[in-house]
Amino acid sequence: MSSFDTKIAVLLRDDLASWQRLNVTAFLVSGIAHVTPELMGEPYLDADDTEYLPMFGQPVMVFSGTADVLTAAHTRALGRGLRISLFTDELFHTGNDVDNRAAVRAVPGEKLALAGLALHGPKNAVDKILKGASLHR
């Protein structure tokens, strides 16, 4: 049983290619790390005292679901006031942060073609938001 009161979760659309799932996950969790630095652990050291970057101090759970599941999760997360990171289909065709933000800005929230989203919040709230999703395999 987990000792964490919160959950970090990534929800990916189930029709993404392997490289897309990995790329989207990496981008999405960077948003969580940025706004919740208290989730970060301490730097790692090996036996030679080489220092490595810190990582989250709790697991990141990765889920998958249909486009409809992502849309519903997006709506529920915003309705609960949780901040989320998102990745839309358009971002697969841009090459920098400025173009990424412009691509998202150009589309109303209810029409976003979501490839994935990530969130952090109280465990039961995150579980309710992810209703219909399954653990990624």
Side-chain angles (χ1 to χ4, degrees), residues 109-124:
E110 70 275 0
K111 295 188 186 279
L112 291 168
L114 297 169
L117 60 84
L119 65 153
H120 168 256
K123 253 196 243 186
N124 75 345

Side-chain angles (χ1 to χ4, degrees), residues 26-135:
F27 272 97
L28 290 172
V29 296
S30 69
I32 300 297
H34 178 75
V35 299
T36 50
E38 67 275 10
L39 292 175
M40 300 304 292
E42 296 296 320
Y44 286 76
L45 296 172
D46 66 20
D48 300 320
D49 283 334
T50 302
E51 186 172 314
Y52 302 95
L53 294 173
M55 297 184 281
F56 287 125
Q58 72 181 79
V60 176
M61 306 301 295
V62 181
F63 296 83
S64 65
T66 64
D68 289 341
V69 168
L70 262 91
T71 298
H74 176 260
T75 301
R76 287 192 289 265
L78 296 178
R80 289 179 173 268
L82 289 181
R83 294 176 71 187
I84 62 173
S85 53
L86 60 83
F87 197 102
T88 66
D89 286 347
E90 291 79 14
L91 303 188
F92 290 120
H93 308 289
T94 57
N96 61 74
D97 188 52
V98 171
D99 291 341
N100 287 350
R101 285 184 284 113
V104 173
R105 180 75 169 151
V107 181
E110 70 275 0
K111 295 188 186 279
L112 291 168
L114 297 169
L117 60 84
L119 65 153
H120 168 256
K123 253 196 243 186
N124 75 345
V126 172
D127 289 342
K128 288 177 184 175
I129 289 166
L130 296 177
K131 184 179 178 185
S134 58
L135 272 173

